[in-house]
Amino acid sequence: MNALEIRKDFPILNQLINGHPLVYLDSAASSQKPRQVIEALRHYYETNHSNVHRGVHTLGSRATEAYELAREKVARFIHAPSPEQVIFTRGTTESLNMVAYGYARAFLKPGDEIVLTPAEHHSNLVPWQQAAKATGATLKYIPLQADGTIRLEDVRATVSANTKIVAMAHVSNVLGTIHPIREIADVAHAVGAIMVVDGAQSVPHLPVDVQALDCDFLAFSGHKMLGPTGIGVLYGKRKWLDAMEPTYFGGEMIDVVELYDSTWKDTPWKFEGGTPIIAGAIGLAAAVDYLTDIGMEAVRDHDHRLAEYAFQQLKEIDGVTIYGPEDGRQRGGLVTFNVLNVHAHDVSTVLDAEGVAIRAGHHCAQPLMRILNVSSTARASFYLYNTESDIDKLAAAVRTAKEFFQHALG
Ligand code: PLP
């Protein structure tokens, strides 16, 4: 994989920010888009746009074909047994809420348990809190180790005969921890619980095979994997999708509507009420083509190499605290850190002045910030267009920030 060649496909990277060449290290929040994705959107709107599944005219057929082809491509990308198990949503947040509404609220009762980790993104935490309140189920948390990993024995000790749902990020957006989802799914299934995986940070960066993971649901977002904003995916096992009620009711998702009752289309269309996100799905398919051409093993190895390099570079700077597992094999393509006791927003502002874009804040993981005993952290995240030179610039900018604040704080 040649990141320098790949960068040529990303027009946005070729600009100066505050007088410096842009170093974009915030792909975990949202990735940039290659020309191929931008071109797919332009081509669709210029030649094929129409509503789908309705008109019998040529544009209607073309748009429907492109939309359903996108579903097939996404299904192949995550090794789903069939395209009908891929539901297009607005993103990870909406996908997880659909499971919390359609599955948890429908099937949980008082005394049932939902098992999570305290490191979850709010999108994989708040919907379960709400589902627990609505059904009388309770939340239980698998304890985190000091380095942000979880131990399988703690998973086994937390999951009980009452557990109905285990929900967890495949890769933590703060600590970068890669969780052994297959092993955890086996623990869940042994007590008859389902395994819900937040794949927002894994599907863009690792080869993901839903059948090998044996997860019951997988949620992810297009905008973190080179696709447009506003498109995401919910994958589910057929038996659950068939048993679940739709979340949204209206046009497109119905079979027969009478004055006092209606019936629904089959999965996945019953979950896609209203005009679907047609252009978004087509853009996501172009992103999937792009990633497939490069190969997800190559993307994973590249991101991993950069994260290792960044970890080593930042570790050498006095006054920098790094969070998450030290063992690179347990870490995805990001490094989260703090500089002295300075608020991460201030650090990020100094880095931005050097052209380096990172994320700073609580990363939608307030309970985890409390465990780490910080109000915020800085996070540098890497993708296929980043190079070692980007990380050298990050390290230099962090040194500049450290010296600036050391001086300012006396
Ligand atoms: N889960 C994780 C682990 C994430 O990193 C994110 C986004 O940052 C989300 C969920 C939410 O994704 P979205 O905002 O695209 O719905």
Side-chain angles (χ1 to χ4, degrees), residues 91-105 108 114 116 120-135 137 139 141 165 167 196 198 219 364:
T92 308
T93 305
E94 184 171 50
S95 299
L96 291 168
N97 272 280
M98 282 169 67
V99 184
Y101 269 89
Y103 187 91
R105 288 192 186 217
L108 263 49
I114 303 169
L116 310 168
E120 297 313 309
H121 188 285
H122 297 160
S123 296
N124 196 30
L125 181 61
V126 184
W128 305 118
Q129 289 176 346
Q130 293 302 102
K133 282 183 200 161
T135 59
L139 301 182
Y141 288 93
I165 296 174
V196 180
D198 171 351
C364 300

Side-chain angles (χ1 to χ4, degrees), residues 352-373:
D352 186 54
E354 305 284 319
V356 179
I358 60 162
R359 172 84 194 265
H362 56 60
H363 310 284
C364 300
Q366 289 182 11
L368 176 59
M369 293 295 117
R370 279 181 215 112
I371 293 174
L372 299 176
N373 202 19

Side-chain angles (χ1 to χ4, degrees), residues 86-378:
V86 167
I87 298 160
F88 285 123
T89 67
R90 284 192 302 126
T92 308
T93 305
E94 184 171 50
S95 299
L96 291 168
N97 272 280
M98 282 169 67
V99 184
Y101 269 89
Y103 187 91
R105 288 192 186 217
F107 301 129
L108 263 49
K109 55 183 190 323
D112 287 345
E113 295 167 356
I114 303 169
V115 169
L116 310 168
T117 82
E120 297 313 309
H121 188 285
H122 297 160
S123 296
N124 196 30
L125 181 61
V126 184
W128 305 118
Q129 289 176 346
Q130 293 302 102
K133 282 183 200 161
T135 59
T138 48
L139 301 182
K140 278 170 86 179
Y141 288 93
I142 302 162
L144 282 190
Q145 297 301 294
D147 68 353
T149 55
I150 54 171
R151 297 185 310 185
L152 270 180
E153 59 253 49
D154 288 331
V155 176
R156 285 190 205 100
T158 311
V159 169
S160 81
N162 294 327
T163 304
K164 294 294 182 299
I165 296 174
V166 178
M168 193 181 296
H170 193 174
V171 175
S172 159
N173 63 309
V174 181
L175 301 168
T177 326
I178 304 174
H179 291 126
I181 293 297
R182 175 56 196 246
E183 285 83 346
I184 297 165
D186 288 346
V187 175
H189 293 148
V191 297
I194 61 159
M195 181 78 215
V196 180
V197 178
D198 171 351
Q201 298 296 344
S202 62
V203 176
H205 297 278
L206 317 170
V208 170
D209 179 332
V210 288
Q211 298 187 68
L213 293 177
D214 200 18
C215 55
D216 294 273
F217 291 100
L218 173 79
F220 56 98
S221 300
H223 70 96
K224 294 182 196 284
M225 51 185 289
L226 312 182
T229 52
I231 184 76
V233 170
L234 174 64
Y235 156 83
K237 281 189 181 162
R238 185 90 207 201
K239 59 184 170 184
W240 306 133
L241 295 177
D242 286 345
M244 273 163 61
E245 282 289 294
T247 316
Y248 305 113
F249 301 90
E252 282 271 340
M253 50 75 66
I254 47 80
D255 181 18
V256 177
V257 175
E258 292 183 280
L259 279 182
Y260 296 100
D261 208 358
S262 304
T263 53
W264 324 136
K265 280 186 182 155
D266 289 335
T267 301
W269 301 282
K270 72 175 181 183
F271 293 105
E272 295 177 358
T275 298
I277 312 150
I278 310 164
I282 289 165
L284 177 58
V288 161
D289 284 344
Y290 191 92
L291 288 169
T292 305
D293 278 353
I294 288 167
M296 288 309 291
E297 282 82 6
V299 173
R300 176 195 54 204
D301 294 348
H302 174 80
D303 294 352
H304 180 74
R305 236 186 347 266
L306 291 184
E308 288 269 87
Y309 184 58
F311 191 91
Q312 295 312 326
Q313 293 289 306
L314 293 178
K315 212 171 94 176
E316 282 172 16
I317 306 174
D318 250 9
V320 169
T321 309
I322 304 181
Y323 306 94
E326 183 134 0
D327 178 355
R329 286 165 305 177
Q330 289 183 296
R331 175 190 286 277
L334 59 89
V335 178
T336 290
F337 59 97
N338 269 323
V339 180
L340 304 170
N341 284 326
V342 177
H343 195 284
H345 281 164
D346 296 332
V347 173
S348 171
T349 304
V350 174
L351 266 59
D352 186 54
E354 305 284 319
V356 179
I358 60 162
R359 172 84 194 265
H362 56 60
H363 310 284
C364 300
Q366 289 182 11
L368 176 59
M369 293 295 117
R370 279 181 215 112
I371 293 174
L372 299 176
N373 202 19
V374 293
S375 61
S376 69
T377 63

